[in-house]
Every structure is written in structure tokens, then in C-alpha cells.
Amino acid sequence: MWFDDWNALLDVGIRGVVCFIGLVVLLRMGGKRTLTKMNAFDFIMTYTIGSTLASVLTSETLTISEGITALAVIIGVQYVIAWCEVRSDWFQKIIKSQPSVLYADNDYQIKTMRKERISRVEVLAAMRYSGFLDPSQVEYVILETDGQLSVLPKQKEVDDQRVMQTVRAYKNALDQT
């Protein structure tokens, strides 16, 4: 059916405005982590928030206060999980993946690329996007925890240990838990 009555449209409009304002307030309370580049956990949170908001906007049986409460619970759970993740390497290992080296020392890391479902074309595109036309100019291409590809150039004055320190330290910390 295309149209029932004006009251239904007014109800959706009022719900939309109130829930939108409530969502903005809750997201601000949830902190910057709620809106970061998405990893799997962030994607789930975003999907859940959107789905809940859509249900509240279109449901005739859910009240606005129930919808705001549901959004508050979702954002509260996200806040608690992010709080635990920052304080526990073990918990972080469960929530986030670790960075993966896809290209190193002029060599594609084929096993890692297959595991991460990344093709040579995508690695080369990341190099070009970072301004490197020749792969021999690149020391490492790393798949970060948020799915972004980081390209590290070759630098004669910087040894491999220092360049890869953060990736290896992160991996070692996770392996020890």
C-alpha cells in the first residue's frame, strides 16, 4: 500500500528526528572509536546500529524510548569491548586481526596473500596509489588490521628491524597471549 494516513508519516518523521538526535548524542558519548575505519567488529557495530535505527523508525510497536535504549545498549557494549581491547592483548587478539606482510624484499608473500585473499594486482595498485611505479622501490606492503594496504619505501639508512618494529612487536605481543 502506498499511503495510509498523514499521522503515520508524521510519526515516522518525529521518530526519525528524535532517534537521529539520540543517536548523535550516544555516538558522541561512545567516543571516537565508534566511528573509526572499520574492521570486522566495527562493521558489525555499524550494521547493528543501522538496523536498530531502521526498526525503530518503521515499527509501529516499538516506542522511541525503547529504540534509544536499544541504541544505548549497542553503543555501551561497543564502549566496553573497546575498553577491554585497549587493556588486554588477549582480548585484542580476539577482536582484531593482526597486520600481514604481503610484499617484502622484492618478493610477493604468496601464502599470506592467498590467506588474506589479496591479489598481486591489488598490491601493485597500492604501490601505484602510494606513488611507486616500480615494485623495486618498495620494501614492504602490509595489510593493516582495518584492511588498508600500507606501502613502505626502501630506505638505505633504515634497517629492516626498525621499519618492521611495530608490525613485529604487535605480532609478538599477540603470539605471547
Side-chain angles (χ1 to χ4, degrees):
M1 181 169 272
W2 290 94
F3 181 78
D4 281 333
D5 62 58
W6 289 105
N7 287 333
L9 294 178
L10 182 62
D11 183 53
V12 169
I14 291 171
R15 284 174 179 267
V17 169
V18 172
C19 288
F20 179 78
I21 291 169
L23 180 59
V24 168
V25 169
L26 290 169
L27 288 174
R28 295 284 295 156
M29 289 171 42
K32 293 177 185 175
R33 171 73 168 80
T34 309
L35 301 173
T36 59
K37 291 180 185 176
M38 290 195 290
N39 56 43
F41 175 72
D42 296 327
F43 174 78
I44 291 168
M45 292 304 300
T46 302
Y47 181 82
T48 305
I49 289 169
S51 176
T52 302
L53 185 59
S55 294
V56 172
L57 291 177
T58 58
S59 173
E60 294 179 9
T61 58
L62 286 174
T63 66
I64 292 174
S65 59
E66 290 170 332
I68 296 293
T69 301
L71 291 169
V73 167
I74 293 166
I75 292 170
V77 166
Q78 183 275 333
Y79 182 87
V80 169
I81 289 173
W83 187 89
C84 292
E85 182 183 349
V86 170
R87 287 160 178 78
S88 168
D89 291 336
W90 173 84
F91 197 79
Q92 186 178 42
K93 187 175 181 179
I94 292 171
I95 299 299
K96 284 190 177 177
S97 60
Q98 59 187 355
S100 300
V101 178
L102 304 175
Y103 180 86
D105 303 321
N106 293 324
D107 191 28
Y108 293 93
Q109 307 300 306
I110 302 299
K111 286 183 183 180
T112 305
M113 290 171 61
R114 284 184 183 149
K115 177 183 169 208
E116 300 293 353
R117 295 178 315 279
I118 300 285
S119 69
R120 285 183 188 213
V121 172
E122 291 170 294
V123 172
L124 287 168
M127 290 179 191
R128 286 191 308 273
Y129 185 74
S130 296
F132 301 103
L133 301 178
D134 183 1
S136 67
Q137 298 172 303
V138 174
E139 187 70 31
Y140 297 102
V141 176
I142 300 167
L143 178 62
E144 302 293 353
T145 61
D146 64 357
Q148 185 173 340
L149 294 176
S150 294
V151 179
L152 303 175
K154 283 190 176 177
Q155 296 180 4
K156 294 179 183 178
E157 298 175 13
V158 179
D159 67 286
D160 289 349
Q161 290 298 320
R162 219 172 65 173
V163 171
M164 294 300 293
Q165 181 179 6
T166 58
V167 173
R168 290 189 181 123
Y170 183 83
K171 185 178 184 313
N172 290 338
L174 292 178
D175 288 344
Q176 292 174 3
T177 57

